[in-house]
Amino acid sequence: MNIKDLRNGMKRVNVEAKVVEKGNPREVTSRYKDETYKVADAVVADDTGSIKLTLWNEQIDQVNVNDTIKIENGYVTSFKGEIQLNVGKFGKLTVG
């Protein structure tokens, strides 16, 4: 699937893209449990466009700028008016 075709609310999304940017991790506290998670934003792009990708915990260290990644069974949400790609607990992120 091409990045330009991604829309808010899409599920079971498969995308292959290159990491063009990666932000610094920040800590967030769970709304449901007394746990803290690390989260970082990355920007991934293909020939058709770019989108923000949310990375959680161990995914942050797996992904570096210029890596080619593959996301299987991801989903798209909108946060503060910007659509973003999420791997989620049922999705899979592969590097390389």
Side-chain angles (χ1 to χ4, degrees):
M1 185 171 265
N2 292 325
I3 288 176
K4 74 171 174 52
D5 298 325
L6 298 177
R7 301 282 178 268
N8 183 26
M10 288 177 108
K11 295 181 180 8
R12 292 186 289 284
V13 171
N14 298 321
V15 174
E16 199 166 312
K18 184 176 175 180
V19 179
V20 292
E21 235 175 82
K22 181 179 164 186
N24 292 322
R26 58 193 187 277
E27 291 198 341
V28 294
T29 306
S30 170
R31 280 185 276 196
Y32 308 106
K33 294 185 250 181
D34 189 23
E35 288 182 12
T36 303
Y37 303 103
K38 284 197 319 186
V39 64
D41 295 321
V43 176
V44 298
D46 64 11
D47 296 339
T48 68
S50 63
I51 191 169
K52 186 187 281 184
L53 170 68
T54 306
L55 300 168
W56 291 91
N57 299 316
E58 65 280 351
Q59 292 173 345
I60 297 168
D61 296 325
Q62 291 174 349
V63 172
N64 293 297
V65 171
N66 291 325
D67 282 351
T68 298
I69 60 158
K70 192 173 173 184
I71 292 169
E72 297 169 83
N73 201 24
Y75 63 97
V76 182
T77 57
S78 178
F79 183 68
K80 295 183 179 170
E82 183 179 29
I83 67 163
Q84 54 190 38
L85 186 56
N86 302 273
V87 180
K89 64 177 136 187
F90 303 113
K92 184 177 166 194
L93 174 107
T94 319
V95 178

